[in-house]
Amino acid sequence: MSKEELSPGTLDVVLDARPTPPPPRLAGGANDLRLTFENGALAGQSFEFQGPRRVLLGRSKECDIELFESRVSRQHCVLTLEGATAHVKDLGSANGTRLNGAPVGLTLVKTGDVLDLAGTKVRIELGAADHGTVALMRGPTEVVPCVRRLRDPALRIRIPGYEIGPVLGEGATSAVFEARGKGGELVAIKVHKIGSSVFPEDRERFVREAETASALVHPNIVRVLDHGEAEERLYIVMEFVRGETVKARLQRLGRIPLPVALHTARQIASALGHAARHGIVHRDVKPDNILVQEDGVAKLVDFGLAKSLLSAGRSGVTRMGDVLGTLQYMPPEQLDSSVTADHRADIYSLGATLYHMIAGETPFSAKTNFGYFHKILFEEPPILGLLSRDVPPIVSAMVSKCLRKRPDERYQSADEIVKLTTTLLASGEQRTTAF
């Protein structure tokens, strides 16, 4: 698994779910806001903010408080502290925000109120705080980091047979560690960050990822070596990949050279073809989920949203109408229901990823989910050849065909993309291994 840049201690708090004594209560007044989590991965943690300011809560790393709960939206709700008042606003979250049991629109809050973010409960206190008791986020611009420390620094998840090393990266519900097996071999271990309080369907999805990926043995798919449960947390042991994600390289370079982009796409198409022959749809092909080694070998990772066409609809994990995936790379049919998406949905997502690699931007951009929905369903992306003169018409046509609205108008097999990109790469001397 790739080693991404990560600030020290970022993950520590989520691997320690033991409650701490409640902090001192705030004094009178309404200059400050304290949020105390009553359950979930941050149970017992308190966060304090000095007004005036807005406090954004959600799964995104860009939020003021990042929540490690799969039912919480990336930007779930916002609290605004202005003078003597504070109010909360839901941001169109998938599972809603409630205040004292009632749905939130734009609602005034007071001390003692309890916010419910899709099952995660947060107690609100307003007043003038003792600023020495907890870390503060001061004002709308000046930030003093709100520390979420591991109260026992020596505490780490212990998995029999493995020596756990540093954190490689993390998402909303899981983290990846570097580790070594008994024979000294280097591996990556993905650990579900939420312990025994994990929702049953999320547990099922994590287990399904392990079982699905275990069935796929391909040079362009990260191999799953083992999986199980330790200390009430699920884990997956994977091969260790030295390299970085396509997303990281796009952030570093802006665009990826055409031959390199085609070489990467050919390898991922080969992986998707292998998965399709095993009746498996990935459903979340995107730059974040493609790792590239220093020698140019690309590997597809993260089968957390994958499904088996042989058992579609029987697991109960994905229901009709569920929307799973990432909007910038999501095909129209997946907006309607992820359970009906087949192999051709992965072809669309691969096309969107290749588009991003070549153009330096996604096929569509929008400020809201509804904006994305409209563009994905009804608009055509700018033609690649118009964005960059060095894109041959045949490449532009190939990407456009991948991005057709109707699945039956796309390539019907990823193997077709493998053949075409192989021909394109063989048509001249191409440089395929350097970024």
Side-chain angles (χ1 to χ4, degrees):
M1 183 64 69
S2 167
K3 180 175 285 189
E4 304 286 357
E5 290 186 1
L6 202 64
S7 58
T10 305
L11 181 68
D12 285 347
V13 64
V14 299
L15 294 180
D16 181 13
R18 294 176 298 172
T20 54
R25 291 190 62 80
L26 297 175
N31 297 323
D32 295 307
L33 167 70
R34 175 183 285 153
L35 302 176
T36 302
F37 285 79
E38 297 187 341
N39 65 340
L42 298 180
Q45 299 280 332
S46 288
F47 301 85
E48 195 169 297
F49 304 87
Q50 183 178 357
R53 70 161 293 146
R54 299 170 75 249
V55 181
L56 184 62
L57 291 86
R59 285 192 295 110
S60 171
K61 293 180 183 296
E62 284 70 42
C63 291
D64 297 289
I65 301 180
E66 182 186 358
L67 302 179
F68 307 100
E69 311 287 351
S70 60
R71 288 177 176 266
V72 172
S73 295
R74 291 183 59 79
Q75 294 187 349
H76 198 99
C77 68
V78 62
L79 284 151
T80 303
L81 183 62
E82 297 177 307
T85 63
H87 59 264
V88 62
K89 180 181 180 181
D90 183 77
L91 298 176
S93 61
N95 293 305
T97 305
R98 304 179 76 85
L99 184 70
N100 303 323
V104 162
L106 179 62
T107 308
L108 196 68
V109 299
K110 62 184 184 300
T111 293
D113 284 347
V114 176
L115 272 179
D116 186 333
L117 286 66
T120 298
K121 294 186 177 181
V122 189
R123 184 167 295 277
I124 297 172
E125 292 178 88
L126 298 171
D130 174 3
H131 294 169
T133 60
V134 288
L136 278 174
M137 305 284 278
R138 303 180 185 274
T141 55
E142 181 189 356
V143 175
V144 177
C146 199
V147 180
R148 291 179 275 170
R149 294 189 299 270
L150 181 67
R151 285 168 290 282
D152 177 5
L155 178 63
R156 291 277 180 170
I157 185 171
R158 290 172 290 275
I159 300 175
Y162 297 96
E163 180 183 345
I164 307 299
V167 177
L168 299 177
E170 64 173 310
T173 61
S174 59
V176 179
F177 294 86
E178 180 180 315
R180 289 192 180 275
K182 289 182 178 179
E185 68 279 11
L186 198 60
V187 296
I189 300 183
K190 182 175 182 178
V191 178
H192 204 290
K193 295 195 293 191
I194 306 169
S196 56
S197 62
V198 62
F199 290 104
E201 56 265 39
D202 295 324
R203 173 181 290 270
E204 279 293 316
R205 187 169 286 126
F206 195 89
V207 172
R208 185 178 63 185
E209 175 184 359
E211 293 175 344
T212 298
S214 295
L216 300 174
V217 180
H218 188 276
N220 300 117
I221 295 176
V222 172
R223 287 185 297 117
V224 167
L225 308 172
D226 189 14
H227 64 91
E229 184 172 357
E231 298 181 353
E232 297 189 323
R233 289 186 175 87
L234 299 166
Y235 67 86
I236 301 174
V237 181
M238 300 171 285
E239 68 169 312
F240 188 91
V241 177
R242 295 189 183 277
E244 64 180 339
T245 64
V246 168
K247 177 183 178 180
R249 293 188 170 183
L250 281 167
Q251 290 173 337
R252 179 161 56 85
L253 299 174
R255 292 174 53 192
I256 292 175
L258 180 60
V260 182
L262 290 174
H263 181 60
T264 301
R266 184 188 65 78
Q267 295 177 83
I268 300 306
S270 179
L272 292 173
H274 177 77
R277 287 188 289 276
H278 284 75
I280 293 170
V281 184
H282 188 280
R283 297 196 295 187
D284 200 21
V285 178
K286 58 184 179 180
D288 314 51
N289 289 336
I290 300 172
L291 295 170
V292 183
Q293 300 176 164
E294 293 178 357
D295 61 0
V297 174
K299 291 179 179 282
L300 185 63
V301 69
D302 198 347
F303 281 77
L305 298 185
K307 72 163 184 174
S308 170
L309 294 176
L310 303 177
S311 59
R314 296 203 297 270
S315 68
V317 179
T318 306
R319 299 174 298 273
M320 189 67 71
D322 280 356
V323 175
L324 301 173
T326 306
L327 282 174
Q328 291 93 328
Y329 312 94
M330 189 182 294
E333 68 271 22
Q334 209 162 318
L335 289 177
D336 179 50
S337 175
S338 292
V339 75
T340 59
D342 61 21
H343 175 59
R344 296 169 296 180
D346 284 346
I347 290 174
Y348 180 102
S349 298
L350 176 59
T353 299
L354 180 56
Y355 187 107
H356 191 175
M357 286 192 284
I358 295 172
E361 60 187 63
T362 54
F364 300 112
S365 61
K367 294 182 178 180
T368 65
N369 287 350
F370 289 109
Y372 273 114
F373 294 162
H374 185 273
K375 289 186 176 184
I376 292 170
L377 291 171
F378 302 112
E379 296 185 18
E380 297 296 333
I383 297 173
L384 268 178
L386 298 179
L387 295 177
S388 178
R389 292 182 178 180
D390 63 350
V391 179
I394 189 171
V395 173
S396 184
M398 177 183 71
V399 174
S400 293
K401 186 169 182 177
C402 290
L403 296 175
R404 297 280 172 82
K405 305 293 186 190
R406 292 170 53 89
D408 57 3
E409 293 179 354
R410 300 174 202 147
Y411 295 105
Q412 299 302 290
S413 167
D415 294 335
E416 296 179 66
I417 300 174
V418 172
K419 292 177 181 178
L420 182 52
T421 50
T422 299
T423 300
L424 290 170
L425 289 165
S427 63
E429 184 177 350
Q430 303 290 1
R431 183 163 168 251
T432 61
T433 60
F435 277 85

